[in-house]
């Protein structure tokens, strides 16, 4: 019965997405919903993009094992990313009226930087979307008691998301996000109240977490602990800022007010509501201590689903899996769309400069389909990797490769194409060296990479110009 209801829910979201798809008339509708979304939908779609499988399954597992210190990257870093976008980036980017974040790199630094940053951004999405696909496989495997294998569950999940994203683009994503976030917030809130009652009260849950030092936030006062804490904090906090999914939400707003306030409110809501899954996992330590302890050793990501399946009534199970699927589908649909739009607009167009809008829209849809296949293959191959780690790794590449050119391009008039290219190469190069050598054991690779990128940007921009600016580069864009 539960599995049947889950499939019914998938069919309903597909139908809603396809209805929304009727509003797509051109590539701008597909990519940024024609810049028509009101503030409330910008809030829900930014919140929805962040509130994915790692928030419901990955963060709670890390919290129980390492406390708040272990989840600095997400939700704190991820939430502050949206807050920083609203405060420092949204207004500047919204005024430029561009289709992708890579369009900005082209306008500011030329086509070479545009293509390099586009590749970096596209590669980063493999880990993020694969984390959502992995969670879908896990859900279907659990609900069917193993009758549906994890890879088959992944395939079913991807097909259900693809069914509306392929046709409706950002319009379908935004409308389904809005509905799915209502289900998510209501569902998890009701479950939290029910779990607190089963545990003997919310105060007992908080007392247990406190007694196990789970509220410890700051690192030990040693050099190594401090720099690894900083590196974890900035991975998504800064690495997600030059991402197409964030940019799409800014550019989809109907006005500058919605573009700036939407991410700001969405980020605050995300940080606050991410505590609900953490509360639920600590509750499970009281409700089912032995079973939870064993799952924390074997597969921490199964703690919450197992708690719901084994110890809560059918109605709560329906609420939980509806909320979980809402979280996963909203994140996955957004992150399937973003790299596909980037590829068509900033790479494919290099060789098809005369492509008309109808052809561009068709190519975007084909690219969404192809990227989905790559993601599915990657997710199946990466089985066994934790959802939290897959998401974390996804944003290191954009942090070291694309963040510095974006910030310096917006806020430093003297930034040049030569400096941007130097920043990309130095950031990626140092990051890879640290990952592949013992250096990474005492110096975080992503922190070393972003520092190297900033230094290379300064040196490259202030040094004599060895590289002539590419055609179309506008150094005065601020």
């Amino acid at each position: 019965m539960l599995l049947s209801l889950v499939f019914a829910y998938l069919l309903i979201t597909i139908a809603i997405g396809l209805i929304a798809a009727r509003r797509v008339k051109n590539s701008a509708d597909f990519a940024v919903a024609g810049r028509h979304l009101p503030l409330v939908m910008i809030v829900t779609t930014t919140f929805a993009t962040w509130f994915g499988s790692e928030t419901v399954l990955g963060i709670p597992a890390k919290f129980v094992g390492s406390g708040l210190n272990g989840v600095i990257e997400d939700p704190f870093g991820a939430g502050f990313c949206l807050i920083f976008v609203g405060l420092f980036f949204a207004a500047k980017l919204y005024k430029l009226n561009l289709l992708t974040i890579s369009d900005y790199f082209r306008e500011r630094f030329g086509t070479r930087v545009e293509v390099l940053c586009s590749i970096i951004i596209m590669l980063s999405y493999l880990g993020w979307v694969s984390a959502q696909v992995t969670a879908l496989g896990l859900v279907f495997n659990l609900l069917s008691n193993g009758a549906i294998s994890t890879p088959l569950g992944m395939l079913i999940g991807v097909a259900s998301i693809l069914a509306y994203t392929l046709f409706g683009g950002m319009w379908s994503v935004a409308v389904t996000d809005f509905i799915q976030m209502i289900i998510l917030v209501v569902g998890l809130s009701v479950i939290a109240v029910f779990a607190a009652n089963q545990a003997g009260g919310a105060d007992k849950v908080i007392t247990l977490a406190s007694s196990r030092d789970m509220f410890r936030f700051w690192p030990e006062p040693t050099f190594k602990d401090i720099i690894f804490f900083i590196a974890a904090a900035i991975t998504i906090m800064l690495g997600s800022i030059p991402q197409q999914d964030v940019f799409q939400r800014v550019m989809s707003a109907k006005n500058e007010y919605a573009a700036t306030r939407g991410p700001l409110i969405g980020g605050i809501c995300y940080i606050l509501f991410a505590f609900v899954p953490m509360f639920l996992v600590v509750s499970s330590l009281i409700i089912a201590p032995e079973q939870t302890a064993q799952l924390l050793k074997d597969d921490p990501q199964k703690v919450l689903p197992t708690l719901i399946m084994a110890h809560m009534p059918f109605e709560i199970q329906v609420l939980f899996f509806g909320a979980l699927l809402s979280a996963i589908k909203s994140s996955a649909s957004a992150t399937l769309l973003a790299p596909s739009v980037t590829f068509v607009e900033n790479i494919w167009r290099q060789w098809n400069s005369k492509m008309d809008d109808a052809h561009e829209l068709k190519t975007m849809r084909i690219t969404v389909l192809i990227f989905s296949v790559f993601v599915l293959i990657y997710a199946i191959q990466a089985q066994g990797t934790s959802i939290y780690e897959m998401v974390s790794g996804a944003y290191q590449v954009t942090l070291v490769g694309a963040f510095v050119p974006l910030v310096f391009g917006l806020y430093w008039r003297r930034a040049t194409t030569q400096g941007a290219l130097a920043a990309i190469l130095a950031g990626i190069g140092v990051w890879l060296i640290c990952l592949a050598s013992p250096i990474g054991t005492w110096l975080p690779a992503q922190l070393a990479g972003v520092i190297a990128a900033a230094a290379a940007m300064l040196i490259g921009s202030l040094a004599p110009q060895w590289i002539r600016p590419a055609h179309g580069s506008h150094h005065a864009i601020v």
Side-chain angles (χ1 to χ4, degrees):
M1 176 62 75
L2 184 57
L3 188 60
S4 299
L5 287 173
V6 166
F7 277 116
Y9 173 69
L10 292 179
L11 291 174
I12 291 169
T13 56
I14 290 170
I16 292 169
L18 290 175
I19 291 170
R22 293 187 298 181
R23 302 196 66 163
V24 175
K25 308 299 182 191
N26 52 50
S27 59
D29 287 336
F30 190 81
V32 292
R35 289 168 66 102
H36 290 311
L37 298 185
L39 174 61
V40 65
M41 292 189 77
I42 298 298
V43 172
T44 54
T45 196
T46 49
F47 178 87
T49 303
W50 256 230
F51 210 101
S53 60
E54 74 290 346
T55 316
V56 181
L57 303 177
I59 290 174
K62 290 282 286 185
F63 173 68
V64 171
S66 308
L68 289 178
N69 179 263
V71 294
I72 176 62
E73 200 165 324
D74 193 4
F76 295 104
F80 272 100
C81 165
L82 292 178
I83 292 170
F84 290 160
V85 166
L87 291 174
F88 304 114
F89 295 89
K92 286 178 174 287
L93 292 172
Y94 187 80
K95 291 172 183 175
L96 299 177
N97 193 20
L98 304 171
L99 204 60
T100 70
I101 189 70
S102 294
D103 286 347
Y104 170 76
F105 290 119
R106 180 186 66 245
E107 294 298 315
R108 182 66 173 86
F109 297 117
T111 55
R112 285 166 291 193
V113 175
E114 172 196 10
V115 171
L116 282 174
C117 287
S118 297
I119 293 170
I120 289 167
I121 290 167
M122 286 164 54
L123 287 175
S124 74
Y125 279 106
L126 271 178
W128 174 272
V129 189
S130 295
Q132 315 311 316
V133 172
T134 298
L136 286 168
L138 177 66
V139 168
F140 285 112
N141 182 256
L142 284 171
L143 288 176
S144 65
N145 291 317
I148 297 177
S149 66
T150 300
L152 179 57
M154 292 179 184
L155 177 60
I156 294 170
V158 169
S160 70
I161 297 162
L162 199 57
Y164 60 83
T165 307
L166 190 64
F167 298 101
M170 191 61 196
W171 265 118
S172 291
V173 169
V175 172
T176 53
D177 278 357
F178 180 75
I179 294 167
Q180 287 170 165
M181 282 311 95
I182 295 172
I183 295 170
L184 172 66
V185 171
V186 172
L188 285 183
S189 298
V190 171
I191 293 165
V193 172
F194 195 88
N197 290 334
Q198 280 196 330
D203 57 324
K204 288 191 175 181
V205 178
I206 295 170
T207 300
L208 176 61
S210 181
S211 68
R212 297 197 178 189
D213 203 24
M214 292 182 192
F215 294 128
R216 183 176 63 85
F217 182 78
W218 299 109
E220 295 296 327
T222 65
F223 176 76
K224 182 177 180 180
D225 285 342
I226 291 171
I227 62 168
F228 272 87
F229 178 83
I230 294 171
I234 67 171
T235 298
I236 302 181
M237 185 188 298
L238 305 183
S240 235
I241 290 175
Q243 283 285 24
Q244 175 60 17
D245 58 320
V246 179
F247 181 82
Q248 274 180 300
R249 274 129 197 82
V250 170
M251 298 308 293
S252 297
K254 69 176 185 179
N255 53 43
E256 188 177 322
Y257 181 83
T260 55
R261 296 299 187 276
L264 182 63
I265 298 169
I268 293 170
C269 292
Y270 176 71
I271 293 173
L272 294 175
F273 205 73
F275 278 92
V276 175
M278 294 186 233
F279 177 86
L280 290 172
V281 167
V282 179
S283 299
S284 72
L285 290 168
I286 298 173
I287 298 168
E290 293 181 4
Q291 184 182 47
T292 302
Q294 188 60 47
L295 283 171
L296 287 171
K297 291 179 183 177
D298 298 338
D299 189 351
Q301 294 167 167
K302 291 184 178 179
V303 171
L304 267 186
T306 304
L307 170 72
I308 302 297
M309 293 283 284
H311 299 279
M312 300 209 174
F314 180 75
E315 294 79 9
I316 297 297
Q317 292 177 25
V318 173
L319 275 177
F320 174 77
F321 284 102
L324 178 58
L325 283 171
S326 294
I328 297 169
K329 283 168 64 66
S330 58
S331 277
S333 58
T335 46
L336 276 177
L337 181 64
S340 305
V341 171
T342 299
F343 173 78
V344 175
E345 176 70 11
N346 303 108
I347 294 181
W348 186 257
R349 187 176 280 280
Q350 301 290 335
W351 292 276
N352 296 270
S353 57
K354 297 182 179 179
M355 179 169 54
D356 61 26
D357 192 78
H359 185 203
E360 183 175 6
L361 178 58
K362 180 181 178 181
T363 307
M364 283 181 182
R365 285 172 168 156
I366 293 171
T367 308
V368 169
L369 178 61
I370 294 171
F371 187 75
S372 300
V373 173
F374 279 121
V375 165
L376 183 61
I377 294 170
Y378 182 83
I380 293 171
Q381 293 296 320
Q383 285 184 81
T385 305
S386 82
I387 290 171
Y388 194 92
E389 296 303 323
M390 290 174 78
V391 170
S392 167
Y395 289 111
Q396 290 192 25
V397 64
T398 44
L399 172 65
V400 301
F403 174 71
V404 167
L406 175 64
V407 174
F408 277 76
L410 285 172
Y411 284 98
W412 191 41
R413 287 181 176 271
R414 299 183 67 182
T416 66
T417 299
Q418 179 173 283
L421 289 170
I424 295 168
L425 296 175
I428 295 288
V430 170
W431 175 64
L432 290 174
I433 289 169
C434 289
L435 285 178
S437 70
I439 297 173
T441 59
W442 57 268
L443 179 62
Q446 68 269 42
L447 183 60
V450 76
I451 291 172
M457 171 61 88
L458 291 169
I459 295 170
S461 295
L462 296 175
Q465 294 297 298
W466 301 307
I467 300 174
R468 287 185 297 173
H471 177 70
S473 176
H474 303 295
H475 295 286
I477 287 181
V478 292

